[in-house]
Amino acid sequence: MTLPVEHFRSHRDVCAGTIVWQLNDCWPVTSWSAVDGDGRRKPLWYALRRAYADRLLTVQPRAGGLAVIAVNDGPAPWRASASVTRLTLAGEPRAKTTLELDVPAYAKVELALPAELARPEEARRELLVAEADGTAERTLWFFAEDRDADWPAARYDASVEPVDGGHRVRVTARTVLRDVTLFPDRLDPAADVDEALVTLLPGESATFTVRADAPLDPAALTTRPVLRHVNDIVTD
């Protein structure tokens, strides 16, 4: 769902938006909705929140190769320096450039990437990372689909600390982790989490706040089947 939404938004001069079907299920069922029949948010809900943010940074294929597109659906201009890096799944940089963004309100800017960034040496083992406003706006472009990428066996550290009304889970990646997601409802049907589908590069960390009516097992919050990522699914 993220792929088509970002595609259409990147053509803002000819397409003003998209409509997603559907928001929620009316009963328990496997479907493409963003909220299940009991009102729990599925991973898609978090992906749509990012894909529809007022400011969107995305990498898209264009006739001449890859381009970085900055979309600004806010009322103020968006001016920032953006860094674009081609690196391996192990986190080793291969090429880098800096782009200057100057996006008027309710507009988009498209900037072509040089060949040394757009053409990988090993497609199954490389990706692009584009960031603006520090890391506030970030997008990733993988040169191979998830099923074809050469994902390393996942290694990470995780800690859990209690907070009012739940737990705070901190995950620090030792290898690239694709789309880290917690499913606390597998421990308590009423539990939920504030973020999902977070991709971490080696050395990066992310914090997830889990809300639950009753205390949850800290060890269970940091292992399968609650903590999942693409590395797990593809390499199983």
Side-chain angles (χ1 to χ4, degrees), residues 206-220:
T207 300
F208 303 84
T209 301
V210 176
R211 299 296 179 188
D213 295 332
L216 304 177
D217 178 5

Side-chain angles (χ1 to χ4, degrees), residues 22 24-33 35-38 42:
Q22 66 196 63
N24 66 296
D25 296 322
C26 298
W27 49 75
V29 64
T30 299
S31 77
W32 52 76
S33 76
V35 179
D36 74 13
D38 290 320
K42 301 182 187 179

Side-chain angles (χ1 to χ4, degrees), residues 51-68:
Y52 279 116
D54 281 352
R55 291 181 175 180
L56 172 70
L57 200 64
T58 183
V59 175
Q60 296 290 327
R62 291 296 189 254
L66 295 179
V68 169

Side-chain angles (χ1 to χ4, degrees), residues 82-97:
S83 65
V84 185
T85 308
R86 177 168 60 86
L87 66 163
T88 68
L89 293 180
E92 301 164 350
R94 293 283 175 87
K96 186 174 183 177
T97 193

Side-chain angles (χ1 to χ4, degrees), residues 153-164:
R155 291 190 294 110
Y156 62 90
D157 299 322
S159 61
V160 181
E161 62 175 316
V163 296
D164 289 343

Side-chain angles (χ1 to χ4, degrees), residues 62-135:
R62 291 296 189 254
L66 295 179
V68 169
I69 295 97
V71 182
N72 181 14
D73 276 327
W78 179 16
R79 298 184 180 94
S81 292
S83 65
V84 185
T85 308
R86 177 168 60 86
L87 66 163
T88 68
L89 293 180
E92 301 164 350
R94 293 283 175 87
K96 186 174 183 177
T97 193
T98 300
L99 305 173
E100 295 302 320
L101 305 181
D102 189 354
V103 193
Y106 308 113
K108 63 109 180 196
V109 165
E110 187 171 307
L111 301 169
L113 287 175
E116 62 266 23
L117 281 159
R119 295 175 188 166
E121 297 168 31
E122 300 176 280
R124 296 176 64 241
R125 297 181 173 89
E126 295 184 23
L127 73 152
L128 288 177
V129 180
E131 297 175 324
D133 296 326
T135 59

